[in-house]
Amino acid sequence: MPLVVLCGRPGSGKSRRAAELREALGGPERQTHVVTEAEGGRSALRAEVERLLNRRDVVIVDAGNEVRSIRYELYCAARQAGTARCLLHCAGGPGRPDEPPFEAPDPANRWDRPLFTVGGEEPLPLAAIRAALFESRPPPPHRATRTQPLQSGDFLHRLDRVTQEVLAAVLAAQSSGAQPGQPVRLPGVAEELVLARPVSMAELSRLRRQFISYTKMQPTDENLPQLAGMFLQYLSRSIQ
């Protein structure tokens, strides 16, 4: 089932574009499914996408997907399912003071491509989207793991160590009296984690296992400098 991931700020027209895509990409030979943000947050959305993914129909993710770690997870889900995907960036939107920071997609990142950007009343590039979804061959699951076993082993060792360091920093901050709303920072990492509530070791360990299970699908040196920041973003989005 090809996957279309929408991203953009609130008010940028994502739901309207999702409806247009559903109408344009459906047909007698395939169904289209629109997955929206709902109760349960990021993990529930990801689980629903994984449940629907197959090689025939189309899944459209109508959500903000503001940070690259979310888009990376969805990229990994499509890669694991062996199906094509693309990213549609809905540019614009009025923005709100309380909205989370938006990390614009970058086609230099493999999880942000093929990338299509539309704004305002600009028509969707439907021919190019159809080509990306139905005429391209999706990469096989775990190709990097199979073809670069030594690099993958190094990557997984670093992934384990970095995520342990992040958890230790979060627990140390809580033990030292950090209050909800205070940021947790790591040396040399631009991203930070602002805890909305206290988090137990059990919950942090569960989130760490989930992050590792997705991230290890693509063990490449390209992600090594970003691992701590990606994990902090993952925690920030998962702990509500």
Side-chain angles (χ1 to χ4, degrees):
M1 177 182 291
L3 177 66
V4 184
V5 177
L6 278 69
C7 71
R9 298 180 185 278
S12 60
K14 295 185 296 297
S15 294
R16 174 170 60 87
R17 298 301 191 176
E20 292 178 24
L21 288 168
R22 185 171 192 171
E23 179 69 20
L25 300 178
E29 72 281 7
R30 71 177 69 90
Q31 297 183 29
T32 55
H33 305 267
V34 177
V35 180
T36 60
E37 290 178 307
E39 185 175 355
R42 173 175 173 172
S43 59
L45 182 143
R46 185 179 63 243
E48 181 67 4
V49 169
E50 291 176 339
R51 184 183 71 83
L52 291 170
L53 277 173
N54 62 47
R55 295 178 182 269
R56 185 188 67 237
D57 302 330
V58 178
V59 175
I60 301 167
V61 182
D62 176 15
N65 299 313
E66 297 93 349
V67 296
R68 63 176 178 263
S69 59
I70 302 174
R71 301 193 294 268
Y72 179 74
E73 289 177 14
L74 295 173
Y75 163 83
C76 290
R79 184 74 180 266
Q80 179 69 9
T83 188
R85 62 173 293 283
C86 70
L87 180 67
L88 179 65
H89 175 206
C90 298
R96 299 193 309 263
D98 60 338
E99 71 182 37
F102 179 69
E103 296 180 349
D106 181 355
N109 299 324
R110 63 188 182 279
W111 57 87
D112 282 340
R113 61 178 188 258
L115 172 63
F116 306 99
T117 301
V118 294
E121 300 302 317
E122 182 181 357
L124 289 173
L126 291 174
I129 290 174
R130 287 191 182 98
L133 297 178
F134 306 127
E135 299 174 17
S136 63
R137 177 177 297 179
H142 300 291
R143 178 168 60 89
T145 304
R146 291 199 302 267
T147 58
Q148 298 174 338
L150 295 178
Q151 182 187 54
S152 299
D154 295 340
F155 181 92
L156 294 176
H157 175 75
R158 177 74 174 271
L159 175 63
D160 180 78
R161 182 171 63 81
V162 167
T163 52
Q164 287 281 20
E165 291 173 353
V166 171
L167 257 61
V170 175
L171 291 170
Q174 291 188 126
S175 298
S176 64
Q179 299 299 313
Q182 293 181 336
V184 177
R185 297 186 176 91
L186 271 73
V189 180
E191 291 82 354
E192 62 184 30
L193 170 65
V194 178
L195 293 174
R197 57 176 174 81
V199 188
S200 68
M201 179 62 181
E203 182 176 3
L204 287 170
S205 297
R206 176 179 58 81
L207 292 172
R208 175 177 175 267
R209 289 192 299 270
Q210 290 176 354
F211 178 79
I212 288 175
S213 71
Y214 282 98
T215 307
K216 72 181 182 182
M217 293 179 185
Q218 298 296 319
T220 66
D221 292 338
E222 176 184 340
N223 290 335
L224 284 176
Q226 307 177 42
L227 285 176
M230 291 174 66
F231 187 37
L232 284 171
Q233 291 176 358
Y234 183 87
L235 292 176
S236 180
R237 293 285 297 177
S238 300
I239 301 170
Q240 302 294 333

